[in-house]
Amino acid sequence: MMLEVRGIDTFHGETQALFGVSLSVGAGEVLALLGANGAGKTTLIRSVLGLTRPRRGEIRFRDKVITTWETHDIARAGVGWVPDDRRLCPTLTVAKNLALGTKATAYRSWSVAEVTEVFTALKYLMARDAETLSGGEMQMVAIGRALLGSPGLVLFDEPSQGLAPKIVSDVMAVIRRLKAEGIASVVVEQNADVALSVADRAVILSRGHVVWQGDARELAADHALKQSLLGGL
Ligand code: ATP
């Protein structure tokens, strides 16, 4: 297994956000992590990254227990992150923002040329300061930065949020390409249909509990099941 989360309880102050959450992702597998606003999806990602530590339970990355590791050590082990708020350095150029992601891990790094092959618009924006980019362009840089960090697993937090359909399909193409390379992805989405279009399996969170997990195609094809679990999402 690439990632195994076992029975984690995570709190924000005294408020419990995750209750005994377990899930796993294998090499080259894409897991859709779905659920309404406030269900705990971002908290799960923050728990894996060591940003909000679980009080109970265990997290393993490639069979190593990383529950108490520092965030930079988790990143160096090969866990990549595409945060929902992108977190670019606004006054640095696109080229410098991409370079900031570069690191060596046990996995292969994408090159800048490979990133611009998928996100062609970035090729012409390298010298622009990040703060002048559109939301979609910023998202491409955030994804490119994660790929230059040689991840074995990428955690995508709401990658389609606010993006034009063409960019959403480019992002999904990246996820498919990672899968072909044996890289695992966790795709947190409010938009279930987008995530299910690339996912192998899905986990649905509701108020911090896993309420369903199973085959993504089965969920995508079963309108009644999707409706009962996800309502209008
Ligand atoms: P969204 O799509 O809105 O980001 P989510 O599924 O990612 O939703 P989380 O952001 O993980 O959900 O939030 C889970 C719960 O934890 C919510 O009840 C939220 O209000 C609470 N929470 C999240 N961050 C904090 C924080 N920094 N301090 C206090 N409570 C928080």
Side-chain angles (χ1 to χ4, degrees):
M1 275 299 158
M2 211 66 165
L3 176 72
E4 263 190 285
V5 173
R6 294 184 184 166
I8 63 167
D9 289 346
T10 305
F11 292 71
H12 296 286
E14 286 314 301
T15 312
Q16 188 164 0
L18 296 178
F19 298 81
V21 169
S22 297
L23 54 83
S24 61
V25 192
E29 194 172 38
V30 181
L31 180 76
L33 183 57
L34 308 174
N37 250 325
K41 305 180 300 294
T42 298
T43 303
L44 187 282
I45 287 190
R46 294 182 59 87
S47 300
V48 172
L49 293 165
L51 293 167
T52 307
R53 292 193 188 281
R55 282 200 199 161
R56 281 180 286 277
E58 190 175 85
I59 300 172
R60 288 171 182 255
F61 179 64
R62 290 183 70 202
D63 297 329
K64 290 203 177 76
V65 179
I66 61 165
T67 327
T68 60
W69 285 21
E70 294 296 332
T71 300
H72 57 261
D73 291 326
I74 294 171
R76 254 183 245 130
V79 179
W81 180 32
V82 181
D84 56 349
D85 56 1
R86 284 118 197 192
R87 301 189 183 210
L88 304 182
C89 294
T91 57
L92 292 183
T93 62
V94 167
K96 286 199 173 127
N97 269 280
L98 288 173
L100 282 177
T102 310
K103 72 179 108 46
T105 74
Y107 300 93
R108 182 181 91 80
S109 170
W110 281 45
S111 64
V112 172
E114 282 174 296
V115 170
T116 56
E117 198 182 294
V118 188
F119 297 126
T120 46
L122 282 189
K123 210 180 293 183
Y124 310 102
L125 297 171
M126 286 294 163
R128 284 262 297 273
D129 283 350
E131 65 190 355
T132 69
L133 302 179
S134 70
E137 290 160 354
M138 286 186 191
Q139 181 67 298
M140 297 181 214
V141 179
I143 293 173
R145 180 184 57 188
L147 300 177
L148 290 176
S150 320
L153 163 74
V154 188
L155 308 172
F156 291 91
D157 199 347
E158 306 270 1
S160 80
Q161 198 178 30
L163 300 188
K166 162 75 173 97
I167 304 175
V168 173
S169 78
D170 288 347
V171 173
M172 296 305 131
V174 167
I175 294 170
R176 287 195 189 93
R177 198 156 146 181
L178 291 173
K179 179 177 171 57
E181 291 182 12
I183 307 301
S185 297
V186 173
V187 184
V188 164
E189 268 295 342
Q190 293 265 356
N191 186 335
D193 288 331
V194 164
L196 292 173
S197 73
V198 287
D200 300 298
R201 284 190 306 115
V203 167
I204 302 178
L205 283 178
S206 174
R207 297 167 192 262
H209 298 265
V210 173
V211 290
W212 189 86
Q213 53 180 314
D215 186 77
R217 272 156 293 256
E218 184 191 321
L219 181 60
D222 190 336
H223 185 71
L225 177 65
K226 214 167 65 172
Q227 192 65 25
S228 76
L229 289 167
L230 292 164
L233 295 180

